[in-house]
Amino acid sequence: MNVFHDLFIRIAVALGTVIWVAFFMTLASAIRIKSRNQTAEFEELKKSNKGLLLHSKFLLRNDKKAFILICLIVVIGSFIASSVAFGNQKYYDMRGNAYKDPFQVVFYTESGEEYVALEDEYAFVQVNMPNNKISGWNCFLDKKGYLVFLSDEDIEYDENAPDYEPFCYYDKNNNCYADTSGAYWDKNGELFFTSQDREKMDELVSKLNDLIKEPSYE
């Protein structure tokens, strides 16, 4: 259900805004420290402050106009970018059909039956057959992206599955399946999972943390 993907996108936008603010604060404070020979003052502040807020505090103390300007530019830019992105947001099924609402996205069984996820309940209902409702806890996706219905007795969770691996449920024949709640497709019908988004986000955070490590001013 793509709504989970949207949530991760919004979190990524918010996280990106914070990190970009920190990055520009670091850059601006570094320029000020070099140009005005304020290394001693910075080192004194460094004794009681660590991490992302260090450069922000230094800039706030020494150049409030630059501090406010950076915050405004990054926040407004992020707001405009996210508004444009979500204003044109589309959701796709495995056949590449586009929808405006994630709860209109069709999930297909291999036999051709069509189901949609309910918005107010963790369940799937068959299209044109509203009485045929199946609990989301019994709905999975196979490797091809088809919707499969399995009971608790038919499937087992692999406790040793790698982190971020969506296909971590197995039946008695060793066929693997993924939870439907984190699944979404692109316009080409390629299947993705929010667990993969989390992995990419963690990698991004790690790289950005390396990027904004405290520079040396000696």
Side-chain angles (χ1 to χ4, degrees):
M1 287 178 281
N2 301 43
V3 65
F4 291 93
H5 177 55
D6 287 355
L7 176 61
F8 280 106
I9 293 296
R10 294 180 190 278
I11 293 174
V13 169
L15 180 61
T17 300
V18 172
I19 292 176
W20 275 114
V21 167
F23 172 76
F24 284 114
M25 292 292 182
T26 302
L27 182 61
S29 66
I31 293 173
R32 184 181 179 89
I33 290 167
K34 282 287 188 181
S35 63
R36 303 198 181 186
N37 194 26
Q38 292 181 297
T39 303
E41 185 178 343
F42 178 79
E43 291 298 328
E44 184 64 29
L45 179 65
K46 190 176 177 181
K47 293 178 181 178
S48 57
N49 295 273
K50 297 291 182 182
L52 295 179
L53 294 180
L54 174 60
H55 293 277
S56 300
K57 287 182 178 180
F58 178 83
L59 199 61
L60 181 60
R61 287 185 180 184
N62 294 276
D63 196 340
K64 290 184 179 180
K65 290 183 179 179
F67 178 89
I68 294 172
L69 183 61
I70 289 172
C71 289
L72 286 175
I73 290 175
V74 176
V75 171
I76 291 174
S78 297
F79 176 77
I80 293 173
S82 61
S83 296
V84 171
F86 284 104
N88 299 320
Q89 180 71 29
K90 290 183 179 180
Y91 308 90
Y92 299 91
D93 63 22
M94 67 181 298
R95 296 179 181 177
N97 299 315
Y99 306 86
K100 291 184 177 181
D101 188 329
F103 293 98
Q104 294 176 342
V105 174
V106 174
F107 287 72
Y108 302 91
T109 65
E110 194 162 14
S111 61
E113 295 175 347
E114 300 179 359
Y115 290 80
V116 293
L118 296 179
E119 186 170 3
D120 56 354
E121 183 181 354
Y122 188 45
F124 284 81
V125 62
Q126 189 171 359
V127 176
N128 298 325
M129 294 185 65
N131 293 327
N132 187 15
K133 184 171 65 174
I134 301 174
S135 170
W137 301 109
N138 299 121
C139 297
F140 299 87
L141 294 177
D142 65 15
K143 281 283 191 176
K144 297 178 181 178
Y146 288 114
L147 189 64
V148 178
F149 308 117
L150 298 164
S151 66
D152 292 340
E153 292 76 22
D154 295 328
I155 201 163
E156 184 176 350
Y157 176 72
D158 181 8
E159 298 286 351
N160 298 316
D163 291 342
Y164 309 111
E165 173 56 55
F167 288 94
C168 51
Y169 296 89
Y170 290 83
D171 64 16
K172 297 175 181 177
N173 296 319
N174 209 34
N175 297 310
C176 56
Y177 304 91
D179 189 350
T180 59
S181 62
Y184 64 96
W185 288 266
D186 66 9
K187 63 181 179 180
N188 298 315
E190 186 173 355
L191 180 61
F192 295 92
F193 293 89
T194 53
S195 58
Q196 297 166 328
D197 295 336
R198 290 197 299 273
E199 182 177 17
K200 293 175 182 177
M201 189 182 301
D202 289 345
E203 290 175 355
L204 175 63
V205 171
S206 177
K207 290 179 181 179
L208 288 173
N209 280 336
D210 292 337
L211 183 65
I212 59 179
K213 281 181 178 177
E214 298 170 9
S216 173
Y217 302 109
E218 297 178 358

